[in-house]
Amino acid sequence: MTRLAVISDIHGNYMALEAFLEYLRKHPVDGILCLGDYVTDSPYPERTMRLIYEMRESCPCVMIRGNREEYLLENEKKSQGWKPSSANGALYYTALHLSREDMAFLEELPREEIFSKEGCPDTYLCHGTPGQIRGNVTFGRGTRERALGAIEQRYLFGGHSHHQEIFTRGEKTYLNPGSLGLAIDGVGGRAQFALVTGQASQGSGSQGGGAKGSTSKDGTWRMELLSIPYDVEGFLRDFQTSGLEENGRILCRAIKKTLVTGINYFYESILEVQKESPLPLAQIPESVWETVARRLEL
């Protein structure tokens, strides 16, 4: 049997990542599948990158990029005009704190991947939905079914929505491990991930040490969704000492409230701002953001 951890959407929360890695020290796995959004929106992204490098050294990892990495790479190629502001100040801060080596590492990550290993079912890995890095299965009816219908494999692992779930329709299954660093669970202070164990189907030939002629696509995953605590109060203190909140302003305050409550104030604040102004997000005055912050008690 092969036992793997599945993680997504760390969003720079190095304390949640530390808690996850401590869990793995006590409950070892054979590898880690990482579905993107490793940094942005949190203080000291260099600490998260250091932990990711250490994780890769200590355990086999399959990693793909998320939309946050896409934003950073696009900015590297052509400046997106980020600056200290509620709209993009957190991205600006993150870009300042990543090294050239970090950016080169993110550039090498594929957008999608098909995971294939003896004794495990072939599995499609993406950040959002197949072919759409920002695809969100929680937006609209039938989105999960369409995502599953877009692939040949029986299993689809994706992130981005920060919604931890296992969804099965017919012979196909979608797994979202939730968000390791910014969980939307209505609780707060928790790091979400999943554990999957490859189960070889009878007659596939993959039992007994992976005999010749075995086929991984005939296997199944046994899945478990987990949620563990971490030092959220200590992490919140970093927002001020790091200078992130000074750069990211209202959206950083929204992230902090999300961390504590498990309610998506990040997304709610953007929706409220867009209701107040027809301008593109980056052009909306700070006064509008402040109005929304008071309304949402950020």
Side-chain angles (χ1 to χ4, degrees):
M1 292 190 301
T2 298
R3 188 165 179 261
L4 306 174
V6 187
I7 63 173
S8 188
D9 297 277
I10 301 170
H11 282 270
N13 189 336
Y14 71 91
M15 286 194 175
L17 181 55
E18 284 178 338
F20 165 73
L21 294 175
E22 179 60 28
Y23 179 92
L24 293 191
R25 280 188 278 273
K26 298 176 181 177
H27 307 87
V29 295
D30 300 304
I32 307 171
L33 306 180
C34 310
L35 306 181
D37 277 11
Y38 305 102
V39 289
T40 76
D41 309 312
S42 290
Y44 304 122
E46 61 272 27
R47 297 181 184 179
T48 298
M49 293 303 300
R50 183 174 69 247
L51 287 171
I52 287 172
Y53 297 144
E54 293 173 0
M55 179 178 74
R56 282 167 53 91
E57 288 293 322
S58 63
C59 187
C61 293
V62 176
M63 302 183 69
I64 61 173
R65 69 174 72 163
N67 59 290
R68 310 306 280 187
E69 286 74 55
E70 290 275 270
Y71 298 160
L72 291 164
L73 292 168
E74 289 168 3
N75 183 68
E76 183 84 352
K77 295 172 184 174
K78 182 180 178 181
S79 174
Q80 303 297 302
W82 295 341
K83 61 182 180 181
S85 65
S86 294
N88 50 45
L91 290 167
Y92 170 79
Y93 168 89
T94 302
L96 289 178
H97 280 251
L98 295 183
S99 67
R100 289 186 176 181
E101 289 74 18
D102 294 333
M103 295 304 299
F105 171 78
L106 298 179
E107 178 71 50
E108 291 177 358
L109 298 179
R111 290 176 175 84
E112 300 181 352
E113 188 76 69
I114 296 175
F115 174 76
S116 184
K117 182 177 173 63
E118 195 70 43
C120 301
D122 289 351
T123 302
Y124 200 104
L125 308 180
C126 64
H127 180 67
T129 56
Q132 298 184 13
I133 201 164
R134 296 182 65 187
N136 192 319
V137 298
T138 65
F139 289 174
R141 296 182 60 182
T143 50
R144 294 169 182 82
E145 291 89 341
R146 287 193 292 274
L148 289 171
I151 63 172
E152 297 179 359
Q153 294 73 25
R154 289 177 56 199
Y155 290 92
L156 171 64
F157 292 177
H160 188 57
S161 71
H162 296 222
H163 180 65
Q164 191 177 51
E165 65 175 313
I166 298 170
F167 174 86
T168 298
R169 180 57 55 91
E171 295 184 350
K172 293 189 175 184
T173 297
Y174 167 76
L175 167 74
N176 189 318
S179 173
L180 191 74
L182 195 60
I184 307 302
D185 60 357
V187 179
R190 312 283 290 183
Q192 297 177 327
F193 58 100
L195 293 178
V196 297
T197 304
Q199 305 283 302
S201 296
Q202 289 186 353
S204 70
S206 59
Q207 295 177 357
K212 256 188 176 181
S214 64
T215 167
S216 62
K217 66 181 179 181
D218 291 332
T220 61
W221 288 118
R222 187 176 74 235
M223 304 177 177
E224 182 181 7
L225 300 177
L226 288 93
S227 180
I228 59 174
Y230 66 94
D231 183 13
V232 66
E233 293 300 326
F235 189 56
L236 290 174
R237 289 191 290 270
D238 283 346
F239 276 76
Q240 288 187 323
T241 59
S242 66
L244 172 60
E245 193 165 349
E246 179 183 347
N247 282 279
R249 302 178 187 176
I250 303 305
L251 270 187
C252 281
R253 285 151 59 179
I255 290 167
K256 289 169 66 178
K257 193 166 183 178
T258 300
L259 290 166
V260 172
T261 65
I263 298 170
N264 199 346
Y265 282 97
F266 178 87
Y267 184 56
E268 287 298 318
S269 62
I270 291 175
L271 288 181
E272 289 297 314
V273 165
Q274 290 176 326
K275 289 178 184 176
E276 293 286 333
S277 174
L279 294 172
L281 200 65
Q283 297 177 22
I284 295 177
E286 288 295 326
S287 58
V288 175
W289 288 93
E290 289 289 350
T291 297
V292 168
R294 289 190 293 269
R295 184 184 306 156
L296 298 180
E297 299 181 345
L298 299 179

